[in-house]
Amino acid sequence: GENVEQHPSTLSVQEGDSAVIKCTYSDSASNYFPWYKQELGKRPQLIIDIRSNVGEKKDQRIAVTLNKTAKHFSLHITETQPEDSAVYFCAASRRVDNQFYFGTGTSLTVIP
Amino acid sequence: DTEVTQTPKHLVMGMTNKKSLKCEQHMGHRAMYWYKQKAKKPPELMFVYSYEKLSINESVPSRFSPECPNSSLLNLHLHALQPEDSALYLCASSQKGGRALSSPLHFGNGTRLTVT
């Protein structure tokens, strides 16, 4: 099956700085890579996603990059704000079974 | 507001009780999921229903029993749980089931379960 690794497990940045979270996956059949943000006590919410036929996608302050050859993808948050503080999970999904494999999560703290 | 509705929000049950968790979505999604989540850990897949048929069962103990009455509803029946089963139980749905193109998971707010 698929194995998704995520780094770092914790990340602290000053408000206004950038944050980068990296994930690697093992199964070349994975073709869809969503990122979820989970605030304390709340549900995971999709913030951005990318498919394997695209190398980069941006949505305002958030971007995701994908390197299929190296089997890694990254989340980039620019101009961080305190409300960006949360746990972020990457995931990989294979078309063959539509099952989602989650990374272990990154706890991001943005210091005002 | 979430488009996947879960009830109850909180549940406390004893080890001999029988209870059910309910999930409902009206987005026309054809795949529905149960996940278990411990604090600051990723969601762990329990069951997947695709077009109302159980397609994935991740070796979950038989004290958890899923049911999908129709394409909009998903239940999780609980019986003789253990204290270590205390967790947040998340329901999710996605637009397409089976081998169609992957689409994102939409999570409900979860049921916070405590087993005493």
Side-chain angles (χ1 to χ4, degrees), chain A residues 36 38 43 51 93 98 100, chain B residues 33 37 96 102 105 108-109:
Chain A
Y36 289 87
Q38 188 173 25
R43 62 188 171 101
R51 298 191 186 278
S93 177
N98 206 32
F100 289 79
Chain B
Y33 306 72
Q37 188 180 30
K96 303 227 178 122
S102 292
L105 290 171
N109 286 326

Side-chain angles (χ1 to χ4, degrees), chain B:
Chain B
D1 288 342
T2 178
E3 296 163 312
V4 178
T5 304
Q6 288 187 245
T7 55
K9 292 183 180 179
H10 301 276
L11 178 62
V12 179
M13 60 186 291
M15 289 189 283
T16 58
N17 292 159
K18 285 186 180 181
K19 296 287 184 182
S20 296
L21 309 184
K22 298 185 182 299
C23 175
E24 189 170 3
Q25 59 89 13
H26 293 290
M27 295 179 283
H29 289 180
R30 302 313 303 268
M32 295 187 76
Y33 306 72
W34 279 116
Y35 283 90
K36 173 184 177 180
Q37 188 180 30
K38 294 277 196 179
K40 295 200 172 182
K41 298 292 186 182
E44 296 175 42
L45 182 64
M46 299 177 73
F47 303 103
V48 181
Y49 275 85
S50 178
Y51 293 92
E52 299 153 54
K53 293 184 180 178
L54 185 63
S55 62
I56 297 174
N57 177 346
E58 290 289 304
S59 300
V60 177
S62 60
R63 57 186 184 267
F64 295 92
S65 175
E67 178 193 19
C68 188
N70 59 55
S71 60
S72 300
L73 295 174
L74 187 65
N75 299 321
L76 186 63
H77 302 298
L78 314 173
H79 174 55
L81 295 192
Q82 303 297 311
E84 59 264 30
D85 296 323
S86 298
L88 180 68
Y89 287 83
L90 291 161
C91 174
S93 67
S94 66
Q95 186 172 15
K96 303 227 178 122
R99 299 191 175 195
L101 190 64
S102 292
S103 54
L105 290 171
H106 296 256
F107 286 95
N109 286 326
T111 294
R112 178 74 58 187
L113 174 66
T114 303
V115 181
T116 60

Side-chain angles (χ1 to χ4, degrees), chain A residues 11-24:
Chain A
L11 179 59
S12 291
V13 299
Q14 290 290 135
E15 182 176 357
D17 287 351
S18 295
V20 180
I21 302 170
K22 298 182 179 182
C23 288
T24 60

Side-chain angles (χ1 to χ4, degrees), chain A:
Chain A
E2 174 66 282
N3 181 42
V4 178
E5 294 188 357
Q6 183 171 347
H7 299 281
S9 57
T10 60
L11 179 59
S12 291
V13 299
Q14 290 290 135
E15 182 176 357
D17 287 351
S18 295
V20 180
I21 302 170
K22 298 182 179 182
C23 288
T24 60
Y25 61 99
S26 60
D27 191 342
S28 57
S30 290
N31 64 345
Y32 176 64
F33 307 93
W35 285 89
Y36 289 87
K37 174 184 180 183
Q38 188 173 25
E39 297 176 54
L40 190 63
K42 296 192 176 181
R43 62 188 171 101
Q45 288 191 275
L46 178 73
I47 56 171
I48 197 166
D49 56 6
I50 192 167
R51 298 191 186 278
S52 57
N53 59 346
V54 176
E56 182 175 0
K57 184 177 178 181
K58 288 186 72 174
D59 183 3
Q60 299 183 339
R61 297 187 296 107
I62 296 173
V64 57
T65 57
L66 171 65
N67 183 326
K68 282 195 301 183
T69 303
K71 295 195 184 72
H72 67 71
F73 57 112
S74 299
L75 177 70
H76 304 255
I77 306 174
T78 58
E79 300 171 24
T80 53
Q81 301 167 3
E83 51 265 38
D84 294 329
S85 297
V87 178
Y88 291 81
F89 294 102
C90 64
S93 177
R94 305 181 305 182
R95 180 172 179 165
V96 65
D97 57 12
N98 206 32
Q99 187 171 348
F100 289 79
Y101 299 84
F102 284 87
T104 49
T106 297
S107 180
L108 173 65
T109 302
V110 179
I111 304 165

